[in-house]
């Protein structure tokens, strides 16, 4: 275990199992469709690489970088798209792939932005959901692998100051790392 990690929450094995189950669910729900999986960079890259291989229906992938700002972010849809999609989503089924749903501010804004492009549907698949966090929106994940408490987690794509993304497990970061 990394010296900055307090405790492992989910092992590589547990993550693999959860992704398999969620992938099977998505495969069944999108049977005969051709969904576009949209990863939100950078946190989703590891999750994307694994979940896409558990989705057995035809699909393609794309990525976005988005930042929401201000308290108006959700109601007014204020979101700064730092990297937009390369794909035309008109009439497509879009499935957003996210690392963690915290306040839901970013995803609520991203979803609203994508809906303006007239896709057939927009759903959300998140690896983690901080269920006890203060949500700024009533947006819910359509698919998720794990619930977590309101604590700071790293690994499996999730970072603190761009570190720890390469850990193969998900762990709680020691407080002293971000409080020093
Ligand atoms: P939201 O808009 O508050 O839902 O923010 C979600 C984003 O914040 C995620 O995509 C992560 O990049 C980041 N984030 C929130 N909580 C954590 C955490 O515990 N560890 C690492 N990143 C986090």
């Amino acid at each position: 275990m990394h010296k900055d990690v307090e405790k492992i929450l989910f092992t590589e094995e547990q993550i693999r199992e959860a992704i398999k189950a969620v992938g099977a669910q998505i495969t069944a729900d999108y049977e005969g469709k051709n969904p576009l999986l949209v990863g939100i960079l950078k946190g989703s890259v590891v999750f994307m690489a694994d979940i896409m291989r558990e989705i057995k229906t035809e699909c393609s992938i794309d990525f976005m970088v988005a930042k929401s700002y201000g308290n108006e972010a959700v109601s007014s849809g204020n979101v700064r798209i730092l990297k937009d999609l390369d794909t035309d989503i008109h009439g497509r089924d879009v499935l957003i792939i996210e690392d963690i749903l915290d306040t839901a501010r970013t995803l609520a804004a991203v979803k609203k932005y994508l809906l303006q492009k007239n896709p057939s549907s927009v759903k959300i698949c998140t690896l983690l959901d901080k269920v006890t966090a203060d949500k700024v929106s009533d947006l819910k994940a359509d698919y998720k692998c794990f619930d977590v408490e309101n604590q700071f987690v790293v690994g499996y794509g999730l970072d603190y100051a761009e570190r720890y993304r390469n850990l193969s497990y998900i762990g709680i970061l020691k407080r002293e790392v971000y409080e020093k």
Side-chain angles (χ1 to χ4, degrees):
M1 191 166 85
H2 194 289
K3 64 171 179 40
D4 294 346
V5 171
E6 177 90 54
K7 183 184 162 196
I8 294 179
L9 274 185
F10 305 110
T11 64
E12 220 176 325
E13 180 65 29
Q14 289 172 312
I15 298 169
R16 194 178 314 120
E17 287 307 309
I19 290 178
K20 235 186 190 64
V22 171
Q25 230 181 309
I26 294 171
T27 301
D29 292 353
Y30 286 87
E31 199 193 335
K33 297 185 177 171
N34 179 12
L36 177 71
L37 313 180
V38 173
I40 309 299
L41 293 174
K42 301 172 195 167
S44 70
V45 285
V46 185
F47 182 41
M48 172 68 108
D50 284 347
I51 191 99
M52 65 186 281
R53 286 177 291 173
E54 296 298 338
I55 296 174
K56 308 298 181 188
T57 184
E58 191 173 333
C59 63
S60 36
I61 65 167
D62 205 339
F63 292 94
M64 280 178 81
V65 179
K67 283 226 171 346
S68 61
Y69 51 93
N71 292 331
E72 290 296 298
V74 175
S75 52
S76 67
N78 277 342
V79 59
R80 202 148 48 98
I81 306 297
L82 304 180
K83 186 224 168 290
D84 205 342
L85 296 175
D86 298 327
T87 318
D88 177 9
I89 62 167
H90 189 278
R92 290 289 299 268
D93 291 300
V94 174
L95 182 58
I96 299 173
I97 306 292
E98 176 66 311
D99 55 353
I100 186 165
L101 208 52
D102 185 4
T103 65
R105 176 176 283 126
T106 317
L107 272 202
V110 167
K111 186 172 178 180
K112 189 168 180 175
Y113 174 78
L114 292 178
L115 282 170
Q116 292 165 6
K117 296 175 181 246
N118 293 316
S120 174
S121 66
V122 178
K123 287 190 172 182
I124 291 168
C125 173
T126 189
L127 174 68
L128 304 172
D129 189 0
K130 279 192 185 175
V131 274
T132 52
D134 282 336
K135 305 282 186 200
V136 299
S137 144
D138 56 7
L139 175 130
K140 296 257 181 301
D142 299 282
Y143 304 95
K144 67 173 153 183
C145 294
F146 303 105
D147 285 338
V148 288
E149 294 299 315
N150 208 359
Q151 54 209 355
F152 203 85
V153 295
V154 293
Y156 195 79
L158 291 126
D159 76 310
Y160 171 68
E162 294 300 327
R163 299 172 65 200
Y164 316 108
R165 291 193 198 275
N166 58 329
L167 300 180
S168 55
Y169 51 85
I170 296 164
I172 301 173
L173 191 63
K174 284 184 182 166
R175 275 189 167 272
E176 67 210 49
V177 177
Y178 52 91
E179 282 180 354
K180 73 185 167 197

